[in-house]
Amino acid sequence: MSNDIVITGLGATTPLGGDVVSTWDALLAGQSGVSILEAEWVTTFGLPTRIAAQLAVDPSEVLPRVEARRLDRCEQVAVIAARQAWADSGLTADSVDPERLAVIIGTGIGGANTLLNQDDLLEGPGLRKVSPLTVPMLMPNGPAAHVGIELKARAGVHAPVSACASGAEAIAWAFRMLRSGEADVIVAGGAEAAIAGITMAGFCQARTMSTNNDEPTKASRPFDVNRDGFVLGEGAGIMVLELEEHAKARGAKVYAKLAGVGTSSDGYHITAPDPEGAGQARAITTALRTGGIDPADVGHVNCHATSTSVGDVTETVAIRKAIGEHPILTAPKGSFGHLLGAAGAVEAIVTVLSIRDSVIPATLNLDELDPGVVHDVVAGEPRKVDLKAAVNDSFGFGGHNVALAFTSG
């Protein structure tokens, strides 16, 4: 019996669109989801960065009002993307045993807005105004829990919290659970909605965010010699993964196979990557090994590249060590910013669609390639390429490294 793992459903809500189709179309069209932040606190706090990649479609336009009020924004986007992925997969309550169904949704921060808002109420009007749903709304496992309850998943509900690698780690975790026989179907991905005063202020003080406020759509520029930091974004990306035999038995469509996964840690620094890229390279190598993929067959790497001075080049060093100089690279964060814990999941979806459609999206705002990058990076226009295998990289503060290797279905 085959233990190959296939992707049968996709869902997303991002700064480029309210679903997978609109996000993919906007990405291929070279659009940007970055804009000026109109929130009063931006001016009140005197933040040097006044831009962000906000959702293209607000959750309030999708969810019933009562439901939305009971969920943090991070939970809202997870529920929206999960419902899309579930519907896209064609699964129903009758087509999967709930005891063989799991949910794994990671987040880097969780309910930041709830925490801030409820603390304001506690310190202002007082205790009586604090919502009894405060803890369920702010806890990092909230997105996974709400989706798991809705789907009646009983094989497990998990919530990896690995900073910006969280969404990708959720997908890697799903791979391992499926391979170990713990489930037949898993809904996995990442969610984040942390555009808030404290997170923005913290990143500003760390000098990791772009301050190109005058040209928001040009601020996020991975691999470009003039990049000056990332742009904070929000959103969610969810996949339905299942054992190939289970998918075949129900006649499901298949986007691609998740052939292998790899995780590692740098053991180096809380925010900076190992400049030698050793940990990142180990994760990529492990993903190829578990997938039985020859590095020569990897035609494309969808990069984590956030548009920071050190991180972008370090990633290419790791790619060169693990795969070589031949893969064609792209970095979607030029278009939709950095979605933190959701980034890896959304970018994994982009990687799957690149394989399906044989096209690699261009890296937005890449005008002059950093001389430290030796690879071919797609810029200007999307590129048609027949792909046998592609890798998606995700890295996070704390030295978390995740690589996902996909092949055509």
Side-chain angles (χ1 to χ4, degrees):
M1 184 175 179
S2 170
N3 65 348
D4 285 352
I5 294 158
V6 296
I7 296 99
T8 58
L10 301 175
T13 180
T14 75
L16 292 182
D19 54 26
V20 170
V21 172
S22 58
T23 294
W24 180 237
D25 288 347
L27 183 63
L28 292 178
Q31 296 177 16
S32 170
V34 182
S35 61
I36 290 289
L37 275 172
E38 303 294 345
E40 185 177 335
W41 50 259
V42 177
T43 302
T44 301
F45 298 144
L47 299 181
T49 294
R50 301 190 301 277
I51 55 176
Q54 301 166 91
L55 289 171
V57 178
D58 193 272
S60 64
E61 299 178 31
V62 181
L63 298 173
R65 184 168 175 268
V66 173
E67 181 181 24
R69 288 184 61 186
R70 293 175 176 173
L71 301 172
D72 180 82
R73 191 174 177 89
C74 182
E75 297 169 338
Q76 293 172 357
V77 295
V79 167
I80 289 169
R83 286 174 179 169
Q84 292 176 9
W86 186 257
D88 185 45
S89 73
L91 285 161
T92 65
D94 297 327
S95 59
V96 58
D97 180 352
E99 294 188 6
R100 303 290 297 167
L101 171 65
V103 171
I104 310 174
I105 300 177
T107 182
I109 295 176
N113 283 287
T114 290
L115 179 61
L116 293 170
N117 294 338
Q118 295 302 312
D119 184 67
D120 285 345
L121 291 173
L122 178 62
E123 296 187 21
L127 177 63
R128 293 176 64 85
K129 291 294 183 179
V130 174
S131 171
L133 295 176
T134 295
V135 173
M137 290 174 68
L138 67 83
M139 61 191 193
N141 64 312
H146 279 286
V147 173
I149 291 168
E150 180 167 317
L151 296 179
K152 296 180 172 56
R154 293 171 186 158
V157 172
H158 306 286
V161 180
S162 305
C164 307
S166 301
E169 186 155 329
I171 295 170
W173 197 335
F175 176 92
R176 289 167 179 155
M177 280 191 71
L178 288 165
R179 277 283 177 93
S180 69
E182 296 177 67
D184 294 328
V185 178
I186 299 183
V187 177
E192 200 79 88
I195 299 175
I198 189 63
T199 48
M200 291 280 290
F203 284 130
C204 283
Q205 288 297 88
R207 298 182 180 179
T208 56
M209 288 201 302
S210 173
T211 56
N212 189 2
N213 302 303
D214 295 333
E215 296 180 294
T217 61
K218 296 181 179 180
S220 183
R221 40 195 326 113
F223 297 125
D224 190 87
V225 70
N226 293 311
R227 65 192 181 279
D228 72 330
F230 73 86
V231 175
L232 184 60
E234 59 181 353
I238 303 291
M239 288 182 173
V240 174
L241 303 103
E242 55 187 302
L243 292 170
E244 186 175 37
E245 293 297 326
H246 189 277
K248 282 183 176 180
R250 66 183 188 86
K253 72 175 183 301
V254 171
Y255 284 97
K257 288 183 179 180
L258 176 57
V261 304
T263 59
S264 72
S265 53
D266 284 350
Y268 176 76
H269 191 272
I270 194 65
T271 57
D274 176 357
E276 300 298 321
Q280 297 177 4
R282 284 197 306 276
I284 297 170
T285 298
T286 301
L288 299 185
R289 185 177 68 249
T290 59
I293 299 171
D294 188 321
D297 290 332
V298 179
H300 168 50
V301 178
N302 185 301
C303 296
H304 180 74
T306 61
S307 189
T308 57
S309 59
V310 177
D312 291 9
V313 175
T314 297
E315 181 173 6
T316 66
V317 171
I319 293 169
R320 190 163 67 247
K321 286 181 177 180
I323 305 175
E325 296 183 6
H326 62 276
I328 302 168
L329 313 187
T330 194
K333 290 183 180 70
S335 296
F336 47 61
H338 191 356
L339 277 58
L340 302 185
V346 172
E347 289 160 18
I349 290 173
V350 171
T351 309
V352 166
L353 295 177
S354 288
I355 291 176
R356 183 196 68 177
D357 295 349
S358 300
V359 62
I360 301 174
T363 303
L364 195 63
N365 301 320
L366 179 51
D367 300 325
E368 183 179 353
L369 187 66
D370 189 303
V373 179
V374 300
H375 293 86
D376 179 6
V377 183
V378 181
E381 297 292 332
R383 189 180 304 177
K384 293 292 290 184
V385 180
D386 186 26
L387 298 172
K388 292 181 180 179
V391 170
N392 172 228
D393 291 340
S394 293
F395 314 122
F397 279 3
H400 304 279
N401 307 308
V402 180
L404 307 173
F406 298 96
T407 59
S408 57

